[in-house]
Amino acid sequence: MTVSWKSWSNLFCICLLLFAAEALAQDFHLAPVNLTVLQGTSALFRAKVTGKWEVMTWTVGKLLVLTVSLPNGNSTSFPGQYSSRFCSSADTSCVEFIIHNVNRNQSGSVDCAVQGDYGQRTAQLNVQESGTVSIMGGNLTVEQDQQVEFQCVATAWFPIPTVSWNQNGQAVNSSLYNTTSMADGDSINSTSVLKFQAVSNTTVECQATVSELKDPQSSSVFLVVVPKPPDWTVLIAVVVSFGSLALLVLLIIGIIFCYKRRKEKQRNYQDEMSKRVRTQSQSVASAAGQKQGQVNAGYVADGRTSVAPSDVTDSGFGQVNGSNSYEMPDVVNSNQAGNGYNSTYNTVDDSGFRKHRHVTIV
Ligand SMILES: *[C@@H]1O[C@H](CO)[C@@H](O)[C@H](O)[C@H]1NC(C)=O
Ligand SMILES: *[C@@H]1O[C@H](CO)[C@@H](O)[C@H](O)[C@H]1NC(C)=O
Ligand SMILES: *[C@@H]1O[C@H](CO)[C@@H](O)[C@H](O)[C@H]1NC(C)=O
Ligand SMILES: *[C@@H]1O[C@H](CO)[C@@H](O)[C@H](O)[C@H]1NC(C)=O
Ligand SMILES: *[C@@H]1O[C@H](CO)[C@@H](O)[C@H](O)[C@H]1NC(C)=O
Ligand SMILES: *[C@@H]1O[C@H](CO)[C@@H](O)[C@H](O)[C@H]1NC(C)=O
Ligand SMILES: *[C@@H]1O[C@H](CO)[C@@H](O)[C@H](O)[C@H]1NC(C)=O
Ligand SMILES: *[C@@H]1O[C@H](CO)[C@@H](O)[C@H](O)[C@H]1NC(C)=O
């Protein structure tokens, strides 16, 4: 009995080992697990099978696209794009599956299944799209020190492209440009705006790229910087200021001339007045006396009579303007300082109004 128990247990162990060995032998791997390629290129996956197998299938998305069968590895595939081969001739344990001219709509899962107890392995396919890039507006001619702006449009990319700028082949500091992106259906448009001050003739280049693109797409334009024209504003300013100065001088000369002429007329007029007033027995200071700041009590204008109050005969009473009305003296020079007194008198102006003025002298 003991012997039979031992043999049973041995048999069980052997069975277990065999089963484990079989399970180990029936393994397979798919690589790469995550593949990124550019649209229009080829995507290659490898399946390594340890153990015996007969049929292998490849599925892209939900579509079974290729079947490989041993012993010779013949394959039947969905028309066109797909093919397979052994990794090295006569080594049936490794199969390469190739998708030619990959399209964006093939992004997603790629499944490989081996018939038997192998099951299925899944890989991820990412397809990038390289679009176009263009600097809008073409070549540009500006004046020195002018602020310039270039707009670069990258159309139909996936995923969001990296946009950068070069000036004369040197990378531009990214603080000088801004890039915004917008989804356009399945792809993306990006717009980048570069701003700087024009200093010298420059080649401006815009580049756009995605990770799988070896050589970025680019667009170049020329910035031609012309010297600033002479600053006319300074000249104009000089001319204008000199002109206005000359005008001002002329004006002043004119005013002085007019004033002198009027004064002369006035002097003649006043002389005449003085005579007339004198004949009316009023003591009126002569024009010379007025000039010396002495008494000028008043005079008759246009036949109207104005009589200065006798109280202010000692005071300065100057005619200020050319009108026919009389102004109050600005300064009253009185000998009666300390004894304030009032004086009321009337003046008549052209319009015939009687002005009532009240003078308080302290
Ligand atoms: C696969 O690779 C792409 C690009 O390299 C990456 O964005 C993505 O996260 C990866 N996916 C996985 C599951 O690792
Ligand atoms: C399989 O391939 C072999 C050699 O490559 C060829 O002779 C045979 O006709 C093919 N069979 C089928 C069914 O395509
Ligand atoms: C994928 O794109 C190709 C080429 O544009 C087209 O012929 C095919 O019908 C598309 N397949 C799907 C599933 O959209
Ligand atoms: C820009 O200038 C360069 C050189 O002067 C010339 O070759 C090119 O054709 C010009 N491009 C455009 C869009 O005018
Ligand atoms: C870019 O410009 C910023 C600010 O003007 C500066 O701090 C930074 O160092 C510059 N980077 C390079 C690489 O010149
Ligand atoms: C970029 O955008 C930010 C925020 O809109 C703004 O402050 C900055 O001046 C922009 N830079 C350029 C070079 O346009
Ligand atoms: C993307 O660019 C294309 C071509 O310039 C244009 O027709 C389309 O309207 C743009 N889409 C968006 C969302 O800007
Ligand atoms: C830029 O180039 C133009 C001709 O292409 C030339 O006339 C001009 O003087 C140049 N400007 C500078 C700043 O070198």
Side-chain angles (χ1 to χ4, degrees):
M1 282 298 273
T2 50
V3 176
S4 78
W5 166 248
K6 240 184 189 170
S7 61
W8 272 113
S9 70
N10 280 350
L11 201 68
F12 181 74
C13 283
I14 286 160
C15 281
L16 214 73
L17 273 167
L18 277 171
F19 186 77
E22 180 121 334
L24 240 151
Q26 287 198 331
D27 198 11
F28 90 105
H29 296 281
L30 177 60
V33 169
N34 189 9
L35 178 63
T36 304
V37 295
L38 271 179
Q39 177 163 278
T41 61
S42 300
L44 188 151
F45 293 93
R46 255 189 202 111
K48 279 185 180 164
V49 187
T50 40
K52 273 182 72 181
W53 63 279
E54 271 165 22
V55 176
M56 178 187 282
T57 59
W58 291 87
T59 304
V60 175
K62 295 263 185 294
L63 206 61
L64 175 66
V65 295
L66 186 132
T67 304
V68 188
S69 43
L70 287 183
N72 48 32
N74 288 11
S75 64
T76 55
S77 77
F78 200 75
Q81 277 195 289
Y82 309 94
S83 70
S84 69
R85 62 186 182 218
F86 293 125
C87 301
S88 54
S89 54
D91 177 9
T92 60
S93 70
C94 178
V95 174
E96 280 179 354
F97 167 67
I98 300 145
I99 308 173
H100 304 275
N101 190 18
V102 176
N103 189 275
R104 279 276 311 285
N105 63 19
Q106 290 165 319
S107 295
S109 58
V110 171
D111 299 314
C112 177
V114 178
Q115 280 184 12
D117 290 323
Y118 291 95
Q120 172 177 301
R121 302 288 181 270
T122 299
Q124 188 71 28
L125 175 64
N126 311 291
V127 183
Q128 296 185 340
E129 194 174 349
S130 165
T132 59
V133 62
S134 171
I135 296 178
M136 310 308 283
N139 293 346
L140 196 61
T141 301
V142 297
E143 280 171 17
Q144 191 123 25
D145 298 334
Q146 198 174 314
Q147 183 83 9
V148 288
E149 186 179 306
F150 289 98
Q151 195 182 53
C152 176
V153 176
T155 307
W157 291 76
F158 188 88
I160 294 170
T162 305
V163 178
S164 57
W165 293 82
N166 288 337
Q167 273 180 32
N168 294 330
Q170 299 283 305
V172 172
N173 189 326
S174 59
S175 65
L176 295 176
Y177 56 85
N178 265 346
T179 307
T180 52
S181 299
M182 204 182 285
D184 182 29
D186 280 341
S187 53
I188 287 158
N189 287 358
S190 285
T191 303
S192 187
V193 176
L194 170 69
K195 288 179 194 163
F196 63 93
Q197 207 170 26
V199 174
S200 58
N201 288 346
T202 312
T203 306
V204 177
E205 185 184 38
C206 174
Q207 293 188 326
T209 193
V210 285
S211 65
E212 295 305 308
L213 190 60
K214 298 289 171 286
D215 298 310
Q217 301 271 18
S218 70
S219 168
S220 290
V221 294
F222 290 92
L223 172 65
V224 176
V225 179
V226 295
K228 261 191 194 169
D231 201 347
W232 291 107
T233 54
V234 169
L235 199 68
I236 287 165
V238 166
V239 165
V240 164
S241 49
F242 268 98
S244 42
L245 197 72
L247 253 160
L248 199 70
V249 166
L250 270 170
L251 203 70
I252 288 165
I253 289 169
I255 286 169
I256 290 170
F257 183 73
C258 284
Y259 181 74
K260 271 191 173 166
R261 274 195 60 165
R262 170 176 285 171
K263 199 132 191 210
E264 217 161 281
K265 263 188 183 173
Q266 210 171 71
R267 200 170 292 168
N268 298 340
Y269 179 76
Q270 278 177 354
D271 284 347
E272 206 185 307
M273 283 301 121
S274 304
K275 278 179 209 158
R276 245 202 263 177
V277 168
R278 231 177 267 129
T279 57
Q280 286 175 5
S281 81
Q282 267 291 340
S283 82
V284 175
S286 70
Q290 187 187 20
K291 217 173 193 178
Q292 286 158 17
Q294 289 181 0
V295 179
N296 178 21
Y299 56 85
V300 178
D302 288 349
R304 293 188 187 101
T305 311
S306 170
V307 179
S310 54
D311 302 45
V312 290
T313 44
D314 274 354
S315 315
F317 188 57
Q319 186 190 4
V320 176
N321 58 23
S323 86
N324 290 325
S325 67
Y326 301 97
E327 299 255 328
M328 287 302 298
D330 285 327
V331 179
V332 176
N333 197 3
S334 176
N335 293 331
Q336 297 170 309
N339 291 320
Y341 67 95
N342 294 341
S343 158
T344 304
Y345 63 99
N346 299 321
T347 60
V348 181
D349 66 10
D350 269 344
S351 52
F353 277 102
R354 290 179 71 85
K355 280 190 181 167
H356 185 81
R357 293 199 181 177
H358 190 80
V359 183
T360 302
I361 301 162
V362 183

